[in-house]
Amino acid sequence: MNLSMKWLGDYVKADMPIKDFCHSLTMSGSKVECYEAEGSEISNVVVGKILSVVPHENSDHLVVCQVEVGKDAPVQIVTGASNVNAGDIVPVALDNSTLPGGVKIKKGKLRGVESCGMLCSLGELGLDKRDFPYAIEDGIFIMQEDCQIGQDIRSAIGLNDTSVEFEITSNRPDCLSVIGLARETAATYDLPLNVSAPEFKGVDGDISSMLRVDILDPEHCPRYCAGIVKNVKIGPSPRWMRERLRASGVRPINNFVDITNYVMLEYGQPMHAFDLRYVEGAHINVRLAKSGEKIMTLDGVERELSDDMLVIADEKKPVAVAGIMGGEYSGIMDDTTTVVFESAYFEPTQVRRTSKALRLKSDASSRYEKGVDPLLSMTCLKRAFQLVEELGAGEVVKNVIDCDHTSYSPAKVEFSTEWINDFLGTDISEADMKEYLGRLGFTFEGSDVVAPSFRIDIGCKADIAEEVARIYGYNNIPTTDFRGVARAELTDEQKFVRTLRNAAVSLGGYEIATYSFVSPKYFERINLPADSALRNVVRIVNPLGEDTSVMRTTTIPSMLDVLSFNYNNRNEKACLFEIAKEYLPAKEEKPFINGDTLANSGAKKHRYEYSLPDEPQRLTVGMYGGEADFYTLKGMVEQLLDELKISGVEYIRATDSDAFDEKCALHPYRSAVILRDGVALGIMGEVHPEVQEKYGLGVKTYVAKLNIPELMASAAEKITYQPLPKFPATTRDLSLICDDEIPVAELEKAIRGAVGKILEKVTLFDVYKGKQIEDGKKSVSYSISMRSHDGTLTDEQADSAMKKALKALSAIGAELRS
């Protein structure tokens, strides 16, 4: 619904700032989508008067105009328009002006003659002939408006309204009208609402001799009002009406069509106008269509009707689909002399069903199918006749037809201040509540509140509480806890996962999300052994396809899929992570018989009892390109573990561990399993070249998978801070000779175990293999820092610790290098 702020001003004082208006109406329940100021793209365009027109000295089709624009001296403008003459009033775009579409007008020369602007056509102002019917389509806009020379063009031609777009919910059809939104504005700002009952004079005449109306289906059409205008004068609507229609998003057509649209926008009640000469027998029947009956609607499409569709018909044929659209010959034409105005109430469900079946939508149907005020039909007919007389468009026959089968009774709801306050968690007085409801048109009868006829959405006490709340102000309602519900807090696992996620992001990772259901072919792509437990999957009973038929038991293929997608879309590098679940079957499915028999069969119908799978969370990291290598990935894992306060971790070759079947997807000599106290925390390494090829990855790729439950169990629950050391450290260096196959981590483990609690730090600073070292051997050098918190270490204590370390190292085949 587009609302003209000028039009709104007829009913309520709407002089507040537009941003304040939009915010306040939104907060009181009428959501504003946006607003647009007409002519906002136009600047420095004024009304001018042409003083003289002379031929251009260097062109046979250009003319040079001297134009008065309200300044000290006229401006000279060169134009190729053929419809300008001295004395014409025209729009003038001056130097440094802007037109719709971002067009900039600058001073320049045309064929050697200076031109200080441009004379504008309707199209250049963003308008067309419907906005100003007296203007010509191609040529300068010769204005007939009452305006001043030098006046801004927007105010001169009424292109200065502001249109506000509302999103009206389906339960508030009363707000699909200017008066409905005026009512909301008045209630929101506590302003008086000025809506007067329409009146018309009319001329004498017997309408019963001119037209007859019969409602043959009162269930679907409880009320039908009709009136006649004779000696009509078809022509354009006045400028004020055209401006309001344009601001509301409706194009002007002619005075009679515009009147029906105007009333629909003003009151929310759709109307239709018929040319009486095409109503055969001057008899209107509101009936259900006959099966197979056809009608050519105003949009030029022939539509076949069914016997459950309501139509407006004459004695021979349908002339309109009730509440949706008129027939081809029901419209107003230039030679129309007598017009029938229709204002009716059609049952919403029937309109909705017919509109959907015919695939025919209109402004009328969108309002009828939501429900209009059942008491509004006659009011809107009178308003249409009032406008006909104001516009001098014809003679209104004084008496009208009103076929009324309605049995309307207003909605009544028990009013309880205590209940509303308890429901809202507020402490609003009864007087304030009644004042709020009174602003919205509600009245009171005893202990009940009575809804006005236009509020078809009121049905229970909660609806009344909502009305009180939105006028009281949602922002004014205090925050309260749900009764009987504990305050929501993150679980320990959620806090842990949040810490893990933040740490991964801080290390440069981008989070991804992949599907939990995958293809069984995933296992082949990572070279998973045929006897692997990971091939025991939870199968989906009704999968979308084979590619999504099982629940994943490992997250590594999902990560490789995303890395492959990025690589094949020419992303030079990637560092991704995902926190997601794996689905590990707890036990096999067990069939049981439920006792039902299949139709036409003596066989028993079987169902399966499924045990819920284990769903452990995993952190999966993947990277390629840039500085990505095994040690970069290991450094990222170490940083994550450090952030989680997990210490005492060791790394062993993946081939030496049976903890992860996914090791088959990794390079056998560039992968490792992460252990702590014998518990496997994760696996990491370079992707196997065969797997890389299957995924179309042309660079070395690295992945890691960390088991979140095991990480959480290993993390320190409390952080213990140690005081700064009071005593100096003692440092010793060890250079060792050992077999090349012995991991340096095993050497470091031996040193730590032997030195004991005085050990502060072990630093590997050199690994050497060369001419001075025997084949199959390597030299490994460590810097060992020791410190005691009880006193300064003596040389004897340090030497004793080194002897123990050398003994432990000797036991695993490492000797001191001479």
Side-chain angles (χ1 to χ4, degrees), residues 408-424:
Y408 172 77
S409 58
K412 296 182 180 181
V413 178
E414 179 187 353
F415 179 71
S416 169
T417 306
E418 182 181 355
W419 188 92
I420 293 174
N421 277 326
D422 186 57
F423 182 73
L424 297 177

Side-chain angles (χ1 to χ4, degrees), residues 624-637:
Y624 70 80
E627 299 179 355
D629 59 18
F630 178 86
Y631 298 105
T632 302
L633 178 63
K634 184 171 181 285
M636 187 174 183
V637 170

Side-chain angles (χ1 to χ4, degrees), residues 666-677:
L666 303 179
H667 195 294
Y669 303 112
R670 299 170 190 167
S671 57
V673 170
I674 308 161
L675 298 175
R676 184 178 186 275
D677 296 334

Side-chain angles (χ1 to χ4, degrees), residues 12 62 69 89 142 182 213 276 281 387 452 481 497 547 581 633 706 757 770:
V12 64
L62 297 176
V69 291
I89 307 298
I142 310 301
V213 175
L276 182 59
L387 290 170
D481 293 333
V497 169
D547 288 345
K581 292 182 178 180
L633 178 63
L706 302 179
K757 63 180 182 178

Side-chain angles (χ1 to χ4, degrees), residues 93-156:
L94 300 174
D95 183 32
N96 288 321
S97 59
T98 306
L99 296 175
V103 177
K104 303 285 186 181
I105 304 299
K106 297 282 189 179
K107 179 167 61 174
K109 288 187 177 182
L110 292 176
R111 295 285 185 92
V113 177
E114 185 178 57
S115 181
C116 299
M118 184 179 78
L119 307 184
C120 300
S121 65
L122 276 176
E124 287 160 341
L125 296 174
L127 304 171
D128 58 35
K129 196 171 175 17
R130 288 188 294 265
D131 297 300
F132 292 91
Y134 63 79
I136 62 174
E137 290 282 359
D138 300 319
I140 301 303
F141 177 24
I142 310 301
M143 300 168 59
Q144 299 178 9
E145 310 304 306
D146 183 13
C147 53
Q148 300 294 322
I149 304 302
Q151 183 180 353
D152 184 276
I153 195 65
R154 292 174 297 178
S155 62

Side-chain angles (χ1 to χ4, degrees), residues 644-661:
L644 299 173
K645 304 297 183 292
I646 299 175
S647 58
V649 172
E650 59 179 316
Y651 300 83
I652 67 169
R653 291 191 186 98
T655 52
D656 295 340
S657 173
D658 295 328
F660 294 93
D661 287 0

Side-chain angles (χ1 to χ4, degrees), residues 756-787:
K757 63 180 182 178
I758 65 172
L759 179 68
E760 185 175 66
K761 184 168 58 175
V762 178
T763 304
L764 174 69
F765 67 85
D766 184 56
V767 177
Y768 174 75
K769 290 184 287 185
K771 294 181 180 180
Q772 300 177 13
I773 304 298
E774 183 182 347
D775 289 342
K777 300 285 186 177
K778 63 183 175 183
S779 171
V780 182
S781 299
Y782 287 97
S783 176
I784 302 172
S785 177
M786 297 170 284
R787 191 193 305 267

